Amino acid sequence: MSQYEALISSDDPNAIHLVVLTGMSGGGKTVALRALEDLEFYCVDNLPSALLPQLVEAATRGDSHRRRIAVGVDVRNRDEDFRHMPKVLSVLAATVQVHLIFIDCNDAVLTKRYSETRRRHPLAVRGRSLADAIAEERRLLRPLMAIAERVIDSSDLNVHQLRRLIATGYAQTTAGLTLMFQSFAFRRGLPLDSDFVFDARCLPNPHWEPTLRPLSGKDGPVREFLERQPVVGEYFDDTVRWLDAWLPRFEADDRSYVTISIGCTGGRHRSVYLVEKLAAHYRTTREGVLTFHRELE
């Protein structure tokens, strides 16, 4: 078991888990929050610390009772908010299991990421350089990093690796096997972490329809095009039958996480559609189902 696995463990199946995600801007907090959302955490981004108790109370009472909550916290909040956060978390720890996760990243990688995306750092205001903004952010976040349950360095992780790391670490809060369905383009190579790979290049390709080419398998017109093709339905049904036959073998072998990769030529239409459809199908019977679209990220 790696240092990042089993971030949550509890003998009480009814325990309430509050995950607070913080860290360097550009480090991957949004990716981590999406992974937790796929695991059916109730997720809120950029919530002031003073509102955390009210959020926990509202999310866990009555018919809407939720036992998995995740909150993203970053430098868009005010300086005093970070100073108050440790006290707020300490008070909450008396009633819920609090997990503060800090996502770090080295300065060189952060600088490269901001250069490639052309996004502005939230603290790069009033003429402050990117380097100075990163340094100021480290200063502001130092108290939270010091008390974090886990510090994850994303410097050498791509989006999918970080997503998988978070999902694997929190799989214990879900019942049974956690499934990751991911789409990809064969022309960019196989995802190396795949447990199963399915080839959808034999299916009709929406790419050759000019009106569908700019869209993805998440869009209605592409879904409608593929659903009109009988062979697509056959492919989906056969894939479900195969997975239903073999996934229990992995569960019996105490596996907690399986990655199912579906590829097509460009990784935008057929594979994306099938990943979304398979994930929706398995979410009706399983808690831990995630999706990742390599070519859309």
Side-chain angles (χ1 to χ4, degrees):
M1 182 175 294
S2 75
Q3 60 177 320
Y4 299 129
E5 290 176 334
L7 298 181
I8 287 181
S9 60
S10 174
D11 295 330
D12 181 5
N14 297 314
I16 298 169
H17 296 279
L18 170 65
V19 177
V20 179
L21 284 166
T22 190
M24 299 300 294
S25 298
K29 294 188 302 299
T30 300
V31 172
L33 201 61
R34 286 176 182 168
L36 293 175
E37 188 172 29
D38 282 344
L39 287 172
E40 299 188 2
F41 277 73
Y42 181 72
C43 294
V44 179
D45 193 18
N46 197 32
L47 187 75
S49 62
L51 298 181
L52 271 173
Q54 292 94 314
L55 171 67
V56 172
E57 180 184 0
T60 58
R61 70 186 174 196
D63 295 336
S64 62
H65 177 78
R66 300 172 184 267
R67 65 181 184 89
R68 299 191 297 272
I69 306 166
V71 177
V73 176
D74 58 42
V75 292
R76 288 173 292 176
N77 290 335
R78 296 171 302 189
D79 186 7
E80 59 266 26
D81 203 46
F82 293 114
R83 293 198 299 269
H84 295 156
M85 182 70 73
K87 181 178 179 180
V88 172
L89 296 181
S90 177
V91 171
L92 284 169
T95 55
V96 302
Q97 296 197 18
V98 177
H99 311 273
L100 178 59
I101 309 301
F102 190 99
I103 302 181
D104 198 9
C105 186
N106 70 53
D107 291 2
V109 173
L110 289 175
T111 301
K112 181 180 179 182
R113 288 177 182 174
Y114 272 100
S115 174
E116 290 174 345
T117 62
R118 298 185 179 179
R119 292 174 53 213
R120 188 177 70 177
H121 191 284
L123 294 183
V125 295
R126 295 187 293 275
R128 179 184 284 160
S129 69
L130 176 58
D132 288 342
I134 291 173
E136 175 65 8
E137 183 176 35
R138 287 200 184 282
R139 184 190 70 80
L140 291 173
L141 292 176
R142 194 172 295 122
L144 292 183
M145 185 177 183
I147 64 171
E149 177 180 311
R150 289 288 187 276
V151 176
I152 298 174
D153 188 346
S154 70
S155 302
D156 297 322
L157 301 176
N158 61 33
V159 171
H160 177 50
Q161 289 168 331
L162 176 59
R163 200 173 167 98
R164 174 167 184 152
L165 186 152
I166 292 292
T168 304
Y170 287 91
Q172 290 193 17
T173 65
T174 64
L177 194 66
T178 297
L179 304 181
M180 165 68 86
F181 290 98
Q182 68 172 328
S183 64
F184 71 95
F186 272 98
R187 66 186 180 193
R188 292 190 57 198
L190 292 173
L192 298 180
D193 54 356
S194 304
D195 294 299
F196 302 116
V197 176
F198 293 89
D199 187 346
R201 288 176 293 183
C202 59
L203 302 178
N205 192 352
H207 174 82
W208 301 116
E209 298 289 329
T211 59
L212 302 181
R213 186 172 300 171
L215 305 178
S216 80
K218 290 184 175 183
D219 295 311
V222 174
R223 293 199 306 270
E224 293 167 6
F225 170 87
L226 291 170
E227 286 167 1
R228 288 196 300 267
Q229 317 297 325
V231 68
V232 175
E234 294 174 18
Y235 189 102
F236 172 81
D237 292 341
D238 286 345
T239 303
V240 167
R241 278 193 291 269
W242 195 92
L243 291 173
D244 285 347
W246 289 99
L247 287 177
R249 307 291 183 95
F250 281 79
E251 290 177 304
D253 197 35
D254 292 329
R255 284 283 294 272
S256 63
Y257 194 98
V258 168
T259 298
I260 299 106
S261 300
I262 301 178
C264 60
T265 306
R268 292 187 52 85
H269 297 106
R270 294 164 291 182
S271 58
V272 171
Y273 166 81
L274 286 167
V275 160
E276 291 294 322
K277 190 172 177 64
L278 285 165
H281 171 80
Y282 281 102
R283 282 179 180 139
T284 63
T285 56
R286 294 174 176 269
E287 288 188 1
V289 178
L290 299 93
T291 60
F292 177 72
H293 302 292
R294 192 179 74 178
E295 319 310 341
L296 300 186
E297 294 291 333

